[in-house]
Amino acid sequence: MKKKNKKSDVKLKFSGGWEYAPAPESKDHIRLKEKYDLFINGKFTEPETGKYFASINPSTEAKLADVAEAGDKDVDKAVKAARVAYENVWSRMPAAERGKYIYRIARIMQERAREFAVIESMDGGKAIRESRDVDVPLAAAHFFYYAGWADKLDYALPGAKAKSLGVAGQIIPWNFPLLMAAWKIAPALATGNTVVLKPAETTPLTAMKLAEVIQEAGLPPGVVNIVTGAGATGAAIVNHPGINKVAFTGSTEVGKIIQKTLAGSDRKYTLELGGKAANIIFEDAAIDQAVEGIINGIFFNQGHVCCAGSRLFVQESVADKVVRKLKDRMETLIVGDPLDKNTDIGAINSKDQLEKIRKYIKIGVNEGGEMYQSSCSVPSKGFWCRPTLFTNVSQSSRVVQEEIFGPVLAVQTFRTVEEVIEKANNIPYGLSGGVWTDKGSKIFKVTSQIRAGVIWANTYNKFDPTSPFGGYKESGVGREGGLHGLIPYLQTV
Ligand code: NAI
Ligand code: MG
């Protein structure tokens, strides 16, 4: 018999969509300490600075834990521990043994997947649906994938003998905290390097949980060191002479500083920086499927995604229809408690990021753009932004040219394939893109002429550890993921 919805379970919203009763994911099973020290040489160690900073929950502004602030001396200790572990243990260990440790990390991470997902959503603000279904499984998949490469490096670079580099300094952002840690640590370990990793200051907690997993997996002390802090801690890693390779994901601005610091040295680097992806809908596309993909492409993870489809190009003949459908779909998106399983859009990661997004929305309006925001209510505490769309913008608008890193979509129209390729490329970035059409020939033409590292066809934001990721132009240098992701951690001898 069909169960009737109780009145209290489901109610009709005025806007025309359905409002669901709260379905929060349980927090009972998570274990968070009040204070996290630095993870150096296999142990949690108090910082020499004596300083700690708070990591908050951006959806409530409540403090979750205090986290150590690493200074130059702490970074030096971590780099030295990584060097000793590299020279004495990790680089000498048979590759298959290294692989076993990496598999162990992957398996423990899978066992603790629920805890990781809940902490990720609490510390960073992303919807539990995403941390549970995307971030955590993909992070484990990266460890599984690179574990497999550890004893097969001779096949990665046929004809060449590959050797590890030494100590890798790795600096990651706040948009995919655990996943970025996995992207960085897994290939470094598989190739025989040791690591000093710094998570972002607003989202350090899953990295500290990962440190616990690394301890539990029995990795030799010093192979992975995790130091917390803000930009100064990151700079201390980049400037340390004991670092052989820097892997950075974050803003183009900091990427440029790192590139300048390392210029002329023999230290290798990979930089994954900003983006301003174009999603292109042709009139022959499956429109409903495309609209769903556009929504996913820009509103996924509050638009805190370097490959977010933040520019939309719609062929003129279907523009009105697509914009109407987009607005309808935006109206049904649920913004709110990141731990609620119904939530589509969680909290903006920080107050600073929310201010940046608001500044751009103002700029868009002042430039003459027509703004549309969904009418949903948002909680009074915490950092929130409703899904936002701009029409009537031009190629020179700042909301079209600059990375906003929030749930803001700028829509333009086009008539011909040539025109849209030119417009899509007319940007300082080149990280990703998307094309929606029924015609294979158009897919080939567009994907071969758009200068971007990844282009999805009739889908968006699909990731796999076997597939390389990285940008052209100001979107970065080098590739992460897949076989390509091994190369930056190896030298040929
Ligand atoms: P950011 O680039 O300052 O932060 C990224 C990481 O770099 C953090 O761990 C930070 O502590 C560290 N860092 C900061 N200054 C550093 C320095 N001088 N040397 C070494 N490490 C340093 O990014 P932020 O300020 O958090 O965000 C600003 C904008 O950057 C965002 O609005 C967005 O547009 C972009 N961004 C892009 C990301 C991407 O995935 N490509 C990720 C995060 C931000
Ligand atoms: Mg936080």
Side-chain angles (χ1 to χ4, degrees):
M1 198 174 77
K2 218 173 162 192
K3 210 174 139 201
K4 260 198 187 163
N5 285 320
K6 275 190 281 163
K7 234 187 185 162
S8 59
D9 281 348
V10 181
K11 43 186 188 253
L12 198 58
K13 268 202 316 187
F14 289 113
S15 57
W18 290 94
E19 199 170 273
Y20 297 89
E25 175 71 44
S26 154
K27 291 189 278 192
D28 301 346
H29 56 93
I30 68 158
R31 283 172 299 134
L32 272 182
K33 293 193 271 190
E34 277 180 12
K35 194 171 98 171
Y36 282 94
D37 288 316
L38 306 170
F39 185 64
I40 298 177
N41 208 22
K43 289 198 223 43
F44 288 94
T45 312
E46 286 182 11
E48 298 274 346
T49 59
K51 289 188 198 156
Y52 290 82
F53 60 95
S55 190
I56 65 156
N57 180 337
S59 70
T60 60
E61 298 175 56
K63 179 162 102 176
L64 293 169
D66 280 315
V67 182
E69 184 182 319
D72 290 358
K73 278 191 193 157
D74 299 298
V75 168
D76 186 52
K77 263 206 243 174
V79 175
K80 286 190 173 135
R83 175 64 54 192
V84 171
Y86 174 73
E87 302 287 352
N88 297 349
V89 188
W90 200 243
S91 65
R92 296 176 183 213
M93 187 182 282
E97 293 302 310
R98 276 203 320 262
K100 286 183 199 167
Y101 283 110
I102 308 171
Y103 276 124
R104 225 177 274 165
I105 297 173
R107 280 195 300 266
I108 301 173
M109 193 179 274
Q110 273 186 330
E111 282 163 17
R112 299 228 198 132
R114 272 182 72 206
E115 189 182 13
F116 270 110
V118 171
I119 296 175
E120 199 72 307
S121 283
M122 288 169 72
D123 200 18
K126 66 172 63 193
I128 187 74
R129 214 180 53 203
E130 283 162 11
S131 47
R132 182 195 64 203
D133 298 348
V134 181
D135 296 62
V136 179
L138 261 181
H142 269 82
F143 280 105
F144 275 119
Y145 173 72
Y146 280 111
W149 271 116
D151 60 351
K152 300 174 197 71
L153 297 177
D154 290 344
Y155 303 100
L157 304 171
K161 185 122 189 69
K163 196 179 162 297
S164 52
L165 300 172
V167 180
Q170 308 183 317
I171 298 158
I172 57 172
W174 39 263
N175 54 345
F176 292 90
L178 181 69
L179 183 59
M180 288 302 110
W183 276 32
K184 299 282 184 278
I185 295 175
L189 297 187
T191 47
N193 298 279
T194 58
V195 165
V196 176
L197 173 109
K198 190 195 86 65
E201 53 273 35
T202 55
T203 54
L205 297 182
T206 45
M208 297 326 288
K209 294 305 282 186
L210 178 59
E212 291 175 5
V213 167
I214 284 164
Q215 255 184 345
E216 196 181 323
L219 253 78
V223 171
V224 175
N225 305 276
I226 301 182
V227 292
T228 39
T233 311
I237 296 174
V238 176
N239 289 315
H240 198 291
I243 295 284
N244 301 99
K245 185 227 150 60
V246 173
F248 172 78
T249 300
S251 62
T252 296
E253 191 190 344
V254 173
K256 285 180 180 172
I257 298 174
I258 293 176
Q259 206 167 17
K260 274 189 199 142
T261 309
L262 299 180
S265 77
D266 63 351
R267 289 181 280 165
K268 284 197 170 193
Y269 57 86
T270 39
L271 307 170
E272 300 285 349
L273 309 173
K276 192 78 188 177
N279 236 327
I280 301 168
I281 307 189
F282 287 99
E283 60 188 1
D284 55 30
I287 298 292
D288 288 339
Q289 185 188 332
V291 165
E292 205 50 37
I294 306 307
I295 293 278
N296 167 42
I298 181 62
F299 300 130
F300 170 64
N301 195 18
Q302 296 77 250
H304 296 336
V305 186
C306 46
C307 54
S310 48
R311 288 183 296 157
L312 173 62
F313 290 98
V314 196
Q315 199 153 21
E316 218 171 68
S317 50
V318 289
D320 288 347
K321 184 170 161 191
V322 167
V323 170
R324 198 178 61 242
K325 282 179 183 267
L326 274 173
K327 287 180 179 172
D328 284 352
R329 182 68 178 94
M330 281 165 70
E331 199 55 45
T332 65
L333 293 173
I334 300 171
V335 182
D337 180 8
L339 285 186
D340 194 310
K341 290 167 210 143
N342 294 320
T343 295
D344 296 301
I345 301 184
I348 299 301
N349 183 266
S350 66
K351 194 162 179 261
D352 284 353
Q353 190 57 32
L354 180 59
E355 272 164 18
K356 178 177 171 184
I357 297 166
R358 285 187 175 154
K359 182 191 88 179
Y360 271 106
I361 292 176
K362 262 198 204 129
I363 290 173
V365 172
N366 290 341
E367 281 178 329
E370 205 170 294
M371 189 201 55
Y372 172 83
Q373 268 186 333
S374 75
S375 64
C376 65
S377 60
V378 296
S380 54
K381 244 188 149 30
F383 316 128
W384 308 96
C385 182
R386 293 192 194 95
T388 305
L389 177 145
F390 273 102
T391 47
N392 200 23
V393 290
S394 70
Q395 195 59 23
S396 59
S397 303
R398 286 183 66 191
V399 291
V400 167
Q401 286 290 324
E402 298 175 23
E403 184 178 52
I404 302 174
F405 226 62
V408 183
L409 177 65
V411 186
Q412 291 174 271
T413 58
F414 69 94
R415 288 184 183 168
T416 65
V417 184
E418 288 70 25
E419 179 194 350
V420 75
I421 289 171
E422 195 179 323
K423 281 182 166 168
N425 280 332
N426 180 8
I427 199 100
Y429 296 111
L431 193 57
S432 59
V435 51
W436 301 83
T437 168
D438 191 33
K439 299 280 180 290
S441 57
K442 267 188 217 156
I443 292 176
F444 286 120
K445 185 164 169 98
V446 172
T447 52
S448 63
Q449 293 194 19
I450 293 220
R451 307 255 310 146
V454 185
I455 303 177
W456 288 284
N458 294 329
T459 187
Y460 207 83
N461 270 344
K462 290 279 179 282
F463 294 95
D464 188 284
T466 63
S467 167
F469 185 86
Y472 285 73
K473 301 188 271 187
E474 293 201 11
S475 289
V477 177
R479 294 291 178 267
E480 290 187 314
L483 164 62
H484 300 69
L486 295 165
I487 297 166
Y489 289 96
L490 290 169
Q491 52 186 323
T492 48
V493 287

